[in-house]
Amino acid sequence: MKNLLIAATALATLASAPAFAQTLANPAATAGPAQNGTVTYAGRVNAFCSAVTPTTALIQLGDLSNATGAFVPGAVNGAGGAYGATITCNGANTSLAMTANQITNPLVSLDANALAAGFTNTIDYTATLAKVGSTSYVQNPVSPTAILSDATGGSGASRVVGLVRSNISLTLSGAALASGNTLVAGNYSGTTTFTLTPGV
Amino acid sequence: MKSHLFFAATASALLISSAAFAQAPINMNGNISPNCTVLTLAPTSVDLGTISDPTAPGALDASKVNGATASVTPSITCNGGGTTLSIDADPLQGPTLPTNATGSGFSNLVNYTATINKVATGFVQNMPAGISNSTTAAGASSGTVGLIASTFSVNLSGAAAAGILIAGGYSGSVTITLTPG
């Protein structure tokens, strides 16, 4: 009977033991890495200039001589005018070229003797393109109003002006006879051309 | 006496067996981590070509930008109900502007809106419409989209120049991010 009691006690002890051994740790959840991708977009903006209008303009100089036949520089100097439309160029390498051509009387042909006697049919001058208005913008030059000048008799002038959003004026100055001291009578004409070439 | 002891031992063995099943359950705990498959965009670069209008200096031909498309493919799978999707668009930017050019109306920026949409046959738990981000926004646009089993498309729209565009090369980007959760 004593043995039976010992056996029962041992069994009771065994029966209560397994409750301590059955709990498993709960593993922590971790999020996976973020996934990302990038698309790049590329495009081009072409260099372009709006039209210069008018494409041709006539400046009347009037009488180039006084009552005694002497040349009057004031008839040429200061002549010019502004172009009505704003010119826009969006290229940082836009170039401006201009060529001032002498004012001449093409119908007169002077020989060496006439030239030696002081007659001429040619007038030199300087043409200048400039910004018009305080809000006009030309990238280069930044601060001067004048953009580019060309004196007749040369091969023309040019520069990179870059971005342009401006009205432009043309003004003549520095008029002088090419030689001699007396203009041959007749009709005189000259031209100044300028060209804007877009550049990136 | 022996028979009593045998009976007692047998009864106790039954008790032991009974107690072991009732008082020591094995708890099977575990977690499935939220994850997304690798995101791949195609193409990774898009050449929009000439984006300027040939009839006016620095004008944008918006049709060259609008409709540009890329795809997230192959299909993305995300198994987390808290998965977030974000899209961040940066404007097309051109050459550096010279001094004072901005005040005269020139610009080197093209803004647009980028939108990511799931394909019609795809499944996204919470994405009733596409998620859009404008390049004028301060940061990315995002939403909690949850479970995903879908491919996506990325489209550009609403392109607009911030002024007279200066000539040159322009580039921008759109970044898509999936964050498991």
Side-chain angles (χ1 to χ4, degrees), chain A residues 99-126:
Chain A
T99 302
N101 297 304
Q102 294 167 317
I103 298 170
T104 63
N105 181 346
L107 299 180
V108 173
S109 179
L110 296 172
D111 59 22
N113 292 333
L115 291 171
F119 290 103
T120 184
N121 65 347
T122 304
I123 300 170
D124 283 317
Y125 64 93
T126 296

Side-chain angles (χ1 to χ4, degrees), chain A residues 2-166:
Chain A
K2 185 177 178 182
N3 289 339
L4 183 60
L5 179 61
I6 291 170
T9 302
L11 288 171
T13 302
L14 284 172
S16 61
F20 295 104
Q22 302 304 313
T23 300
L24 300 175
N26 191 9
T30 55
Q35 300 291 331
N36 58 61
T38 299
V39 184
T40 58
Y41 298 90
R44 294 170 295 281
V45 170
N46 289 338
F48 195 85
C49 286
S50 60
V52 175
T53 55
T55 54
T56 61
L58 177 63
I59 300 170
Q60 291 286 3
L61 300 176
D63 260 337
L64 299 174
S65 59
N66 61 18
T68 63
F71 174 55
V72 180
V76 178
N77 295 338
Y83 284 84
T86 298
I87 297 170
T88 301
C89 296
N90 69 329
N93 278 307
T94 301
S95 61
L96 171 63
M98 68 181 298
T99 302
N101 297 304
Q102 294 167 317
I103 298 170
T104 63
N105 181 346
L107 299 180
V108 173
S109 179
L110 296 172
D111 59 22
N113 292 333
L115 291 171
F119 290 103
T120 184
N121 65 347
T122 304
I123 300 170
D124 283 317
Y125 64 93
T126 296
T128 299
L129 291 171
K131 291 178 277 189
V132 176
S134 58
T135 59
S136 289
Y137 174 78
V138 175
Q139 183 181 348
N140 180 32
V142 175
S143 55
T145 300
I147 302 170
L148 184 64
S149 295
D150 183 50
T152 54
S155 57
S158 66
R159 77 181 305 165
V160 174
V161 292
L163 304 180
V164 176
R165 196 177 192 202
S166 176

Side-chain angles (χ1 to χ4, degrees), chain A residues 1 4 11 22 26-27 30-46 48 88 90 137 139 163-165, chain B residues 1 8 12 16 24-26 31 33-34 41 44 46 48-49 51-52 54 99 104 165 167-168 170-176 178:
Chain A
M1 189 62 185
L4 183 60
L11 288 171
Q22 302 304 313
N26 191 9
T30 55
Q35 300 291 331
N36 58 61
T38 299
V39 184
T40 58
Y41 298 90
R44 294 170 295 281
V45 170
N46 289 338
F48 195 85
T88 301
N90 69 329
Y137 174 78
Q139 183 181 348
L163 304 180
V164 176
R165 196 177 192 202
Chain B
M1 183 63 180
S12 296
I16 291 168
I26 298 174
N31 284 297
S33 297
L41 279 161
T44 54
V46 176
L48 302 173
I51 61 173
S52 53
T99 305
S104 298
L165 296 174
Y170 282 67
S171 65
S173 65
V174 175
T175 297
I176 308 297
L178 276 167

Side-chain angles (χ1 to χ4, degrees), chain B residues 57-98:
Chain B
L60 175 69
D61 181 354
S63 69
K64 298 295 181 62
V65 180
N66 296 336
T69 301
S71 297
V72 178
T73 185
S75 181
I76 288 284
T77 301
C78 294
N79 66 337
T83 301
T84 60
L85 172 61
S86 75
I87 180 169
D88 190 10
D90 293 326
L92 292 163
Q93 184 147 16
T96 302
L97 284 169

Side-chain angles (χ1 to χ4, degrees), chain B:
Chain B
M1 183 63 180
K2 282 185 179 177
S3 65
H4 287 159
L5 183 57
F6 176 76
F7 174 78
T10 303
S12 296
L14 291 172
L15 283 171
I16 291 168
S17 299
S18 175
F21 289 115
Q23 294 180 18
I26 298 174
N27 297 316
M28 303 297 286
N29 295 323
N31 284 297
I32 301 297
S33 297
N35 218 325
C36 290
T37 53
V38 175
L39 185 154
T40 304
L41 279 161
T44 54
S45 62
V46 176
D47 185 356
L48 302 173
T50 299
I51 61 173
S52 53
D53 184 334
T55 64
L60 175 69
D61 181 354
S63 69
K64 298 295 181 62
V65 180
N66 296 336
T69 301
S71 297
V72 178
T73 185
S75 181
I76 288 284
T77 301
C78 294
N79 66 337
T83 301
T84 60
L85 172 61
S86 75
I87 180 169
D88 190 10
D90 293 326
L92 292 163
Q93 184 147 16
T96 302
L97 284 169
T99 305
N100 299 327
T102 302
S104 298
F106 290 99
S107 172
N108 61 354
L109 288 179
V110 176
N111 288 304
Y112 60 88
T113 295
T115 302
I116 183 166
N117 290 289
K118 74 177 182 67
V119 296
T121 56
F123 170 77
V124 178
Q125 183 180 353
N126 181 26
M127 193 174 178
I131 299 176
S132 296
N133 183 244
S134 169
T135 55
T136 58
S141 300
S142 64
T144 299
V145 293
L147 306 178
I148 298 173
S150 180
T151 59
F152 296 87
S153 65
V154 179
N155 302 295
L156 307 190
S157 62
I164 302 167
L165 296 174
I166 65 171
Y170 282 67
S171 65
S173 65
V174 175
T175 297
I176 308 297
T177 302
L178 276 167
T179 304

